[in-house]
Amino acid sequence: LQEYKLSNYIFWLNMKHLVIGNWKMNGTLAHASEFAQHLNEKLWQEEMLTQIILSPPTTLINYLKQNLDSKIKLAAQDTAVNKEATGAYTGDISAAMIKDIGCDYVIVGHSERRQYHHETNQIVRQKAEAVYAANMMAIICVGESMAEKESGSTCKVIESQIKESLPVSATPENTIIAYEPIWAIGTGLVATKDEIGMVHNFLNNMLNKERVSFAKRYKLVYGGSIKSSNVAEILAASYVDGLLVGGASLLWKEFWQIIKVVSEHQKIMSLECS
Ligand code: 13P
C-alpha cells in the first residue's frame, strides 16, 4: 500500500498542470510590482495544484525573481542561439546569463519570433540546445497559420516543425511542447475543444507513443486567446497538460482566475483517479 501511495504521489506531482504566462513586450517595474504583490497574497491564502511559470520581458526577470513567491518559476521569452555563456554578440543574451538571473525555462520558437525575426526550425533547434546546455527547460512552440489550417495541412505543418525544431537530445525532462495556432494568437479566435484535441492527440502519438509511464510523457500545453471563461472547454480536450497564456496573463486578477480554474480541474481529476 505504501508503495502504491508513493507511486500515486509521484504520479500526481509529475502530472501538475502548467499555467505559463507570456507577457511578450509588455510590463514596467510598476506593473510587475503590483502584479507580484497581488499574486503573492493569493498564493499565501490558497494552495494551488498547478505549476505557475511567468515569462516577463528580460528587463523584469531579476525584479520578479526577487519579489515573486518562489513557487512561481520564471521563463525567458528567447535566448541567443550560441551555446557560449559570453562573447562579442552585441544585443544578445545567452542562456547561461538567463539561468544566472534565476530562470528555469526559456520559450523558443514562438510564432512571433518565427515571423518577425525569421527564425527557422533550425534556429529554434539550436536555441533549444543552448537552453539545455545551460541546464534549463525549453518550451518549444509550434502552430499552423490560418491558410495552412484552411488548406487542411495542420498536422503536416506541426509534424515538420516538431521533427526539425526538436534537438535529438530533447526529452520530456528538458522540453515542453506548446501548441499555439497562429490564427488564435491575440485574435480572440480560440480553437475549439475538437481542434485542440485533434492536434494534441497527434502530438501525443508522435512524441509519447513509446512512453509507457504516464509521468514521463512530454507535456503538451495549448496557447491562443485564453481567458478564464474558456479554460474549462480547453482543458476538456485530450492531452492538454497546461496553458500558455498571453494577454490575459498581464492582468493579475484574470491570470489568478485562470490558475484557479486549472487547479480545480486538477483536483477533480485527482479525485476521479484516486
Ligand atoms: P494570447 O493569449 O494573447 O492570444 O497570446 C497567446 C500567446 O502567444 C502566448 O504565447
Side-chain angles (χ1 to χ4, degrees):
L1 184 70
Q2 280 251 308
E3 215 170 283
Y4 170 77
K5 274 193 176 153
L6 185 67
S7 67
N8 227 16
Y9 174 71
I10 294 169
F11 175 82
W12 280 112
L13 207 66
N14 285 320
M15 284 303 298
K16 258 190 175 186
H17 273 40
L18 306 169
V19 182
I20 311 168
N22 175 10
W23 281 9
K24 309 192 180 187
M25 197 177 73
N26 296 288
T28 57
L29 266 177
H31 176 83
S33 157
E34 199 198 335
F35 185 95
Q37 196 187 326
H38 287 295
L39 218 66
N40 289 347
E41 268 172 29
K42 289 288 179 194
L43 272 175
W44 294 334
Q45 285 160 7
E46 266 178 274
E47 183 74 27
M48 287 292 131
L49 286 182
T50 54
Q51 176 59 61
I52 308 167
I53 303 170
L54 193 65
S55 189
T58 315
T59 49
L60 295 173
I61 291 173
N62 192 33
Y63 176 84
L64 287 165
K65 182 70 187 174
Q66 309 299 328
N67 291 282
L68 262 184
D69 187 301
S70 60
K71 285 201 279 290
I72 302 178
K73 302 289 178 201
L74 291 168
Q77 295 174 15
D78 185 34
T79 178
V81 77
N82 326 67
K83 281 205 192 109
E84 299 104 295
T86 56
Y89 303 102
T90 302
D92 279 338
I93 298 171
S94 72
M97 292 159 96
I98 290 164
K99 173 79 179 170
D100 185 50
I101 52 167
C103 284
D104 292 303
Y105 301 83
V106 182
I107 299 175
V108 289
H110 192 283
S111 61
E112 285 150 16
R113 300 236 28 114
R114 290 178 186 262
Q115 186 183 348
Y116 305 130
H117 297 272
H118 313 290
E119 291 192 4
T120 59
N121 288 332
Q122 191 200 351
I123 293 174
V124 174
R125 190 174 70 236
Q126 287 169 343
K127 289 191 171 190
E129 280 165 354
V131 172
Y132 304 157
N135 285 318
M136 290 183 291
M137 283 187 80
I139 302 167
I140 300 181
C141 305
V142 295
E144 82 287 6
S145 67
M146 183 55 106
E148 288 161 342
K149 170 182 149 69
E150 282 175 349
S151 70
S153 45
T154 298
C155 290
K156 218 176 98 211
V157 171
I158 305 281
E159 185 175 14
S160 63
Q161 285 175 338
I162 291 285
K163 280 191 175 151
E164 292 166 29
S165 309
L166 256 69
V168 280
S169 51
T171 69
E173 282 81 33
N174 62 20
T175 304
I176 293 160
I177 306 294
Y179 169 54
E180 296 206 302
I182 299 168
W183 50 269
I185 296 178
T187 56
L189 285 175
V190 68
T192 64
K193 180 180 146 221
D194 289 348
E195 285 168 333
I196 299 169
M198 190 269 286
V199 174
H200 279 234
N201 232 321
F202 178 76
L203 283 167
N204 189 60
N205 275 339
M206 207 177 156
L207 296 163
N208 292 326
K209 214 173 183 171
E210 317 283 292
R211 296 172 201 283
V212 269
S213 160
F214 211 59
K216 292 228 172 96
R217 294 163 53 247
Y218 275 94
K219 282 201 160 129
L220 309 173
V221 303
Y222 167 81
S225 293
I226 295 172
K227 303 186 287 234
S228 57
S229 56
N230 57 29
V231 169
E233 163 94 2
I234 295 166
L235 293 176
S238 39
Y239 301 111
V240 174
D241 303 302
L243 308 172
L244 178 48
V245 188
S249 69
L250 279 157
L251 315 162
W252 72 266
K253 265 190 200 159
E254 179 64 0
F255 192 50
W256 182 251
Q257 200 49 41
I258 290 171
I259 294 163
K260 276 192 80 158
V261 179
V262 177
S263 188
E264 280 306 312
H265 170 85
Q266 185 105 50
K267 262 184 218 160
I268 293 165
M269 271 176 53
S270 63
L271 282 177
E272 277 175 4
C273 292
S274 61

